[in-house]
Amino acid sequence: MTHDPSGEDSLIARYFKPLATDPGAFGLVDDAAIIPADGDDIVVKTDAIVEGVHYLPDDPPDTIARKALRVNLSDLAAKGAVPAGFVLTLALREKDEAWLAAFARGLGEDAAAFGCPLLGGDTVSTPGPVMISIAAWGRVPKGRMVHRFGADSGDRVMVTGTIGDATLGLRMLTGRAEAAALADDPAAREMLIGRYRVPQPRNALAAAVRDFASASMDVSDGLAGDLAKLCAASGVSADIELSHVPTSPAATRLLSSGATSWESLVSGGDDYEILCTVPAAQCEAFRAAANAADIAVTDIGAIVAGTNTPRFRDGQGRPITLRRLSFSHF
Amino acid sequence: MTHDPSGEDSLIARYFKPLATDPGAFGLVDDAAIIPADGDDIVVKTDAIVEGVHYLPDDPPDTIARKALRVNLSDLAAKGAVPAGFVLTLALREKDEAWLAAFARGLGEDAAAFGCPLLGGDTVSTPGPVMISIAAWGRVPKGRMVHRFGADSGDRVMVTGTIGDATLGLRMLTGRAEAAALADDPAAREMLIGRYRVPQPRNALAAAVRDFASASMDVSDGLAGDLAKLCAASGVSADIELSHVPTSPAATRLLSSGATSWESLVSGGDDYEILCTVPAAQCEAFRAAANAADIAVTDIGAIVAGTNTPRFRDGQGRPITLRRLSFSHF
């Protein structure tokens, strides 16, 4: 009599046990895992991605795994935390071995690259879309997590990388007008699609955020909406120069030709960049630390007193009203 | 310009922020939560429940929330850990305010009752079935988590509560023959249904498990299959007396009348009892601690040398072959 020869246990043993090399994971043969805590605070975070909502059904499975983990790594980075591990809930329609093998390979490569080991999980069947929920945790020295609150009048508003590429990448994949506008530049299209499928979490910046930022969060639902959240949590407002918001050459071209708008770029989701506020006196040190970590940071405006929604101005200083700030599920 | 007035943020603010009273949750206004660690090990666990798979679509929403949390609390109890908090991923088809209000009420009551505060979460839309994934944390003194491995020849096999009620409860709800056999006893039917919908995790036994058990896990996929996993992890086998396996009066009646079988009871899922092994010399102290915690524990057999699947014997000592050990998703 054999036990569960082709069921979830063998699925886990085959695809995920090889990833669970951290001693706290006990090779996934136990019912729970251990995080040794040595006086640090443990920062915890959960984010889920759903087929057809956060990724497309025919996205390569390794990129789906990478995105599921990276959206959580991005939060840890913005909080100033060093990744310590994650657990995975995988809701699958059927057992597709080729899909699972590629998914597990991508997950394992990213877990190793970011130093964030798989510590456990749950695999369940669902008749509905595939869903991947990850809970991840990291460590910060006691009391040092960087919050959404803490931004103060006069602080500079800084953002990593470029904004709007991922939302354009989704439009490339769904055949929108933006795709036609880049018909002559397949490399640009591929870059944008890559930004949608595989975010680049800024974990190398975590220590600088911890050392210099007064408030911080990651940009996942749109820069404008996420900045509004940071300001609301901090009891402040902000003045943002849209012309200073960093964009990739592909996004810049689409902006120039009118194929996209600032509103689309700053309200579109999936950037997974860090948005943080840095006191003016710390900006030079923050920039130096970012340079040392090889991560681009851009000053896009200032925190100001007040509780109104952040103001956005165009290159001529004129206020722009955004009708839509961010992506919302409901 | 207002931000997200009816979207996921307001949903979270309305239903879940009131539950997030732990200081580490920062009122859910931040992107991550904190578990202060003071030298203890942090035990982590994730389990998900899916509509139509782990619960029925018309189950009362407060019971769905309780089940989602309790299946994780049950694991923490079996590992000897004291609950410390949890994060919630909620994948919903639509925003049904009445459903959400009842769900949040049940979740909040259980979080308070079990001392396991909500620390964060993610709410996503899905076209498919509702899914609730929870990752929960607990604390044990450093190095004291109780594993699946560690059972040794001669140890007694102990189980809490009664076995098989939940799988019978599901049969009551789905109109199987077992329901007809209890047509004259609505109280018994309700008891079985309650055991399916709202598990009773044995967190009050966690300290006793930590102090006296050589190996431990919770019974979630069927006693026979879960015992096989514990034995495999420990490199041992077991001899179990089916007539010693504790059953409720309702289950006993269905067994006597032939309306159910031992095989159904010990291979059915959703018991959420603790299965542990206790060295013979510790059994008296374990029983005393269980009595003090007001939790029934029953000796159902012995750990024996060998690596074969555990053997089950009937009341006359005859071996019984189980064709099916446990529930599997794939």
Side-chain angles (χ1 to χ4, degrees):
Chain A
M1 190 164 65
T2 56
H3 171 65
D4 188 35
S6 62
E8 59 195 292
D9 290 340
S10 82
L11 180 161
I12 291 165
R14 184 156 180 190
Y15 296 110
F16 297 110
K17 190 174 172 176
L19 312 185
T21 54
D22 188 84
F26 304 109
L28 300 187
V29 299
D30 215 314
D31 309 280
I34 283 287
I35 313 173
D38 302 305
D40 288 343
D41 278 343
I42 306 291
V43 176
V44 298
K45 174 65 195 179
T46 189
D47 250 332
I49 66 172
V50 178
E51 178 187 28
V53 179
H54 302 83
Y55 69 90
L56 300 174
D58 57 355
D59 279 346
D62 72 297
T63 70
I64 299 167
R66 292 180 203 276
K67 185 165 191 173
L69 181 57
R70 288 175 181 218
V71 300
N72 284 284
L73 290 169
S74 177
D75 277 298
L76 295 179
K79 300 292 102 181
V82 175
F86 71 101
V87 293
L88 166 74
T89 297
L90 192 54
L92 296 172
R93 261 188 308 275
E94 71 264 336
K95 192 170 71 163
D96 174 338
E97 300 270 345
W99 191 95
L100 273 167
F103 181 91
R105 178 176 52 75
L107 193 68
E109 286 176 6
D110 268 9
F114 289 93
C116 191
L118 175 67
L119 291 180
D122 190 22
T123 307
V124 296
S125 57
T126 173
V130 172
M131 171 166 151
I132 304 126
S133 174
I134 282 181
W137 46 96
R139 290 193 178 83
V140 290
K142 196 170 263 304
R144 296 287 307 283
M145 185 175 102
V146 186
H147 297 277
R148 278 192 192 179
F149 54 85
D152 203 3
S153 185
D155 290 354
R156 302 306 303 177
V157 179
M158 312 285 272
V159 68
T160 59
T162 54
I163 294 294
D165 294 329
T167 195
L168 292 172
L170 176 59
R171 282 152 195 264
M172 298 297 129
L173 288 166
T174 51
R176 304 295 186 86
E178 293 88 340
L182 284 181
D184 63 345
D185 193 346
R189 290 203 311 272
E190 280 307 304
M191 184 282 290
L192 296 172
I193 290 168
R195 292 275 287 161
Y196 171 71
R197 285 181 171 157
V198 183
Q200 301 296 328
R202 305 306 182 180
N203 296 80
L205 201 65
V209 168
R210 210 165 58 224
D211 288 343
F212 304 114
S214 52
S216 175
M217 66 186 295
D218 76 331
V219 182
S220 55
D221 293 334
L223 175 66
D226 287 339
L227 177 61
K229 291 176 191 173
L230 186 149
C231 286
S234 297
V236 296
S237 185
D239 268 336
I240 302 301
E241 298 288 339
L242 276 178
S243 62
H244 293 182
V245 171
T247 51
S248 67
T252 304
R253 182 178 158 195
L254 291 170
L255 269 176
S256 306
S257 71
T260 192
S261 66
W262 274 115
E263 182 165 20
S264 296
L265 300 191
V266 300
S267 70
D270 282 328
D271 286 316
Y272 299 104
E273 297 290 352
I274 291 177
L275 170 70
C276 63
T277 60
V278 180
Q282 307 286 346
C283 279
E284 195 178 320
F286 178 71
R287 282 182 183 287
N291 281 343
D294 201 21
I295 292 177
V297 295
T298 306
D299 181 330
I300 61 170
I303 294 295
V304 298
T307 56
N308 60 304
T309 307
R311 277 167 299 206
F312 291 81
R313 298 178 196 281
D314 69 11
Q316 285 72 48
R318 292 176 300 225
I320 288 180
T321 299
L322 302 174
R323 284 159 301 169
R324 183 171 178 274
L325 291 181
S326 62
F327 175 79
S328 179
H329 284 285
F330 295 98
Chain B
M1 189 165 64
T2 56
H3 171 65
D4 188 45
S6 61
E8 59 195 293
D9 291 341
S10 82
L11 181 160
I12 291 164
R14 185 157 178 189
Y15 296 110
F16 297 110
K17 189 174 170 176
L19 313 187
T21 53
D22 188 83
F26 306 109
L28 300 187
V29 300
D30 215 314
D31 308 280
I34 284 286
I35 310 174
D38 302 306
D40 287 343
D41 279 342
I42 307 288
V43 176
V44 299
K45 173 63 193 179
T46 190
D47 250 331
I49 66 172
V50 178
E51 178 187 28
V53 179
H54 302 83
Y55 69 91
L56 300 175
D58 58 355
D59 279 346
D62 72 296
T63 70
I64 298 167
R66 291 180 203 278
K67 185 165 190 173
L69 181 56
R70 289 176 181 216
V71 301
N72 284 283
L73 289 169
S74 177
D75 277 299
L76 294 179
K79 301 291 103 179
V82 175
F86 71 101
V87 293
L88 168 75
T89 296
L90 192 55
L92 296 172
R93 260 188 309 273
E94 72 263 336
K95 191 169 72 164
D96 175 338
E97 300 270 345
W99 191 95
L100 273 167
F103 181 91
R105 178 175 53 74
L107 194 67
E109 287 176 5
D110 268 9
F114 289 93
C116 192
L118 176 66
L119 293 179
D122 190 21
T123 307
V124 297
S125 57
T126 173
V130 172
M131 170 165 151
I132 304 127
S133 174
I134 282 181
W137 290 263
R139 289 193 179 83
V140 289
K142 196 171 266 300
R144 296 288 306 282
M145 186 175 102
V146 185
H147 296 275
R148 279 192 191 179
F149 52 87
D152 203 3
S153 186
D155 290 353
R156 302 306 304 178
V157 180
M158 312 285 271
V159 68
T160 59
T162 53
I163 293 296
D165 294 330
T167 195
L168 291 173
L170 175 59
R171 282 153 194 263
M172 297 297 128
L173 288 165
T174 51
R176 305 295 186 86
E178 293 87 341
L182 284 180
D184 63 346
D185 193 346
R189 290 204 310 273
E190 280 308 303
M191 183 283 289
L192 296 172
I193 289 168
R195 292 274 288 160
Y196 172 71
R197 285 181 172 159
V198 183
Q200 302 296 327
R202 306 304 182 180
N203 296 80
L205 200 67
V209 168
R210 209 165 60 226
D211 288 344
F212 304 114
S214 51
S216 175
M217 68 185 294
D218 78 331
V219 182
S220 56
D221 293 334
L223 175 66
D226 287 339
L227 176 63
K229 292 177 190 173
L230 186 149
C231 285
S234 297
V236 296
S237 186
D239 269 335
I240 301 300
E241 299 287 339
L242 277 178
S243 61
H244 292 183
V245 171
T247 52
S248 67
T252 304
R253 184 180 155 192
L254 291 170
L255 269 178
S256 304
S257 71
T260 192
S261 66
W262 273 115
E263 181 165 20
S264 295
L265 300 190
V266 302
S267 71
D270 283 326
D271 286 316
Y272 299 104
E273 297 291 350
I274 292 178
L275 170 70
C276 63
T277 59
V278 180
Q282 307 285 346
C283 280
E284 194 177 321
F286 179 71
R287 284 183 182 284
N291 281 342
D294 202 21
I295 292 177
V297 294
T298 305
D299 181 330
I300 61 170
I303 294 295
V304 298
T307 57
N308 59 305
T309 308
R311 277 167 298 205
F312 291 80
R313 297 179 197 279
D314 69 10
Q316 285 71 49
R318 292 177 298 227
I320 289 180
T321 299
L322 301 174
R323 283 158 303 168
R324 183 173 179 273
L325 291 181
S326 62
F327 176 78
S328 179
H329 283 288
F330 295 98

